[in-house]
Amino acid sequence: MKIVRIEAATVWVDLVKPYITADYPDGMKGKPCVIVRMTTDSDLSGLGESDPFPTFTYESPESVLHMIRHRLGPAILGMDPGNLVALHTKMDAVLPGWSFAKAPLDVAAYDILGQAWGVPMYMLLGGKLRDQVPMIWPIGGDTPETNAREAKAKVDDGYRSIHIKVGALAAEVDIARVERIRATVGDDIPLMLDANQGWDRTTALRTIKRLEISKPSMVEQPVPAWDIESMVDIQASVGVPISADEVLHSHHDAMNLIRRDAARVFSLKTGKCGGLFRTRQIAAMAEAAGIPCFVNSMIEMGVSVMTSLHLAASIPNLVDHGHALMSNLRIKEDILPAGSFQYEGRNILVPEGIAGLGVKLDMEEVEKRTLDHFVLEL
Ligand SMILES: [Mg+2]
């Protein structure tokens, strides 16, 4: 089997509600995502999606499109999509780093392999350990009252854990927001906090110690990704697990974090970590180090959500609360047809009886939203 065609597009997505985080203090209203379709000489085609934010990842949707068109695509045309280790070795040789550009090619290759073998993608990741995964609901920056109202509504709606963005507003406001949410939802709902690199070491230490009274399940990326030294100090000084997100792109990053004991949760995103092959390696390294993984998301459409669902189904060492598999629920219109996902309450069901990724695109929606597009052929 040979890769004979790679097609990629940037596709605009609108959010239901502007999302305020430390890297988007004015609120993100929408963004482009990248969709890739890879086709083989046996006429199988696979899908992949990539969702970088330049402030978070150093990569952008435009740079992903450029690198696939000019570096990665030409390097892997003609290769066997089933030979995943060779595919990654080749991509790493022509372009070290650039995980968000590699990820959709990796996922499309897994999708093709699953279809060729007639098995769901999670079987290629080692199999599945669960039939459903609870979802967490993310809450961006706002007043304590508004945030507490939203958290209460989501818990009433069935969510059993809440992800709270901190680090964009003054520390006093964040502390008040988290305390108010905790008082409103009660002690049984895990609250994970995510500062998106928004604090320096001193602010992080001072703020996390004051936040501990609200019993957060973890605090993600309190300081900038380059500041591992401070993460080590913070993890050693506070009682709450620190989660590594922006600092964890590659298996090399994972090794460094484990060696330094810089984080006690790993935040996995299939785009950020370079696709399923590398993300599964990182999860295995975390498992060996006794570190649980949180299956996280960017602002994503359904192809990425389904990819992460296959991943979450296969990982033994998951954090014991909800995972960020709700990304398509906060965008106005997905490029997948309605009914592409099945739910039981606020748990998302792992698909059965599918081959590969198990989703199809709504081509009318894709065309309506396409900003830029190219095709490479062997
Ligand atoms: Mg994060």
Side-chain angles (χ1 to χ4, degrees), residues 56 163 165 194 196 220-221 245-246 267 269 296:
F56 177 110
H163 177 162
K165 291 293 183 183
D194 187 357
N196 287 108
E220 191 158 280
Q221 202 63 53
D245 188 6
E246 283 90 329
S267 187
K269 296 171 179 167
N296 205 340

Side-chain angles (χ1 to χ4, degrees), residues 139 143-156 159-160 162 164 176-189 191 214:
I139 291 188
T143 63
E145 294 69 31
T146 308
N147 278 164
R149 212 176 307 126
E150 182 178 358
K152 172 81 165 60
K154 292 300 172 183
V155 169
D156 290 347
Y159 288 91
R160 306 309 299 162
I162 301 285
I164 307 169
R177 292 169 58 227
V178 176
E179 282 180 2
R180 186 68 179 263
I181 292 170
R182 170 57 77 210
T184 306
V185 301
D187 284 342
D188 295 339
I189 301 294
L191 302 178
S214 297

Side-chain angles (χ1 to χ4, degrees), residues 278-297:
R278 293 293 185 209
T279 310
R280 198 64 195 74
Q281 287 179 325
I282 292 170
M285 292 165 75
E287 184 187 359
I291 293 174
C293 294
F294 173 59
V295 177
N296 205 340
S297 72

Side-chain angles (χ1 to χ4, degrees), residues 117-350:
W117 287 2
V119 296
M121 210 157 68
Y122 55 73
M123 292 305 286
L124 306 173
L125 303 174
K128 70 165 175 162
L129 287 166
R130 45 191 74 80
D131 296 323
Q132 46 184 272
V133 183
M135 297 187 292
I136 196 167
W137 186 259
I139 291 188
D142 210 323
T143 63
E145 294 69 31
T146 308
N147 278 164
R149 212 176 307 126
E150 182 178 358
K152 172 81 165 60
K154 292 300 172 183
V155 169
D156 290 347
D157 187 34
Y159 288 91
R160 306 309 299 162
S161 51
I162 301 285
H163 177 162
I164 307 169
K165 291 293 183 183
V166 293
L169 306 169
E172 291 302 325
V173 179
D174 280 341
I175 291 164
R177 292 169 58 227
V178 176
E179 282 180 2
R180 186 68 179 263
I181 292 170
R182 170 57 77 210
T184 306
V185 301
D187 284 342
D188 295 339
I189 301 294
L191 302 178
M192 72 154 282
L193 313 182
D194 187 357
N196 287 108
Q197 320 180 75
W199 295 323
D200 58 23
R201 180 199 306 230
T202 309
T203 311
L205 276 168
R206 196 183 291 151
T207 309
I208 295 169
K209 282 183 177 164
R210 292 183 60 196
L211 284 164
E212 282 189 280
I213 196 172
S214 297
K215 301 191 186 74
S217 64
M218 64 175 104
V219 178
E220 191 158 280
Q221 202 63 53
V223 291
W226 54 262
D227 195 2
I228 293 189
E229 206 57 47
S230 290
M231 282 184 72
V232 172
D233 276 0
I234 293 164
Q235 184 61 91
S237 310
V238 299
V240 54
I242 299 299
S243 169
D245 188 6
E246 283 90 329
V247 66
L248 176 60
H249 285 246
S250 68
H251 53 313
H252 305 295
D253 294 334
M255 180 57 86
N256 198 20
L257 291 164
I258 291 168
R259 279 187 177 141
R260 308 289 311 276
D261 191 18
R264 306 224 176 114
V265 176
F266 277 5
S267 187
L268 305 179
K269 296 171 179 167
T270 54
K272 181 189 71 168
C273 301
L276 289 164
F277 186 79
R278 293 293 185 209
T279 310
R280 198 64 195 74
Q281 287 179 325
I282 292 170
M285 292 165 75
E287 184 187 359
I291 293 174
C293 294
F294 173 59
V295 177
N296 205 340
S297 72
M298 306 294 290
I299 301 286
E300 298 171 348
M301 300 184 292
V303 173
S304 280
V305 174
M306 187 57 95
T307 303
S308 297
L309 180 56
H310 283 272
L311 176 77
S314 78
I315 295 180
N317 49 318
L318 284 189
V319 164
D320 187 22
H321 62 53
H323 294 266
L325 294 164
M326 71 305 126
S327 212
N328 55 320
L329 303 179
R330 54 187 174 170
I331 62 177
K332 279 190 183 155
E333 278 134 2
D334 200 353
I335 52 166
L336 302 187
S340 294
F341 294 93
Q342 306 296 319
Y343 300 95
E344 203 173 292
R346 290 304 178 180
N347 287 3
I348 184 166
L349 305 189
V350 177

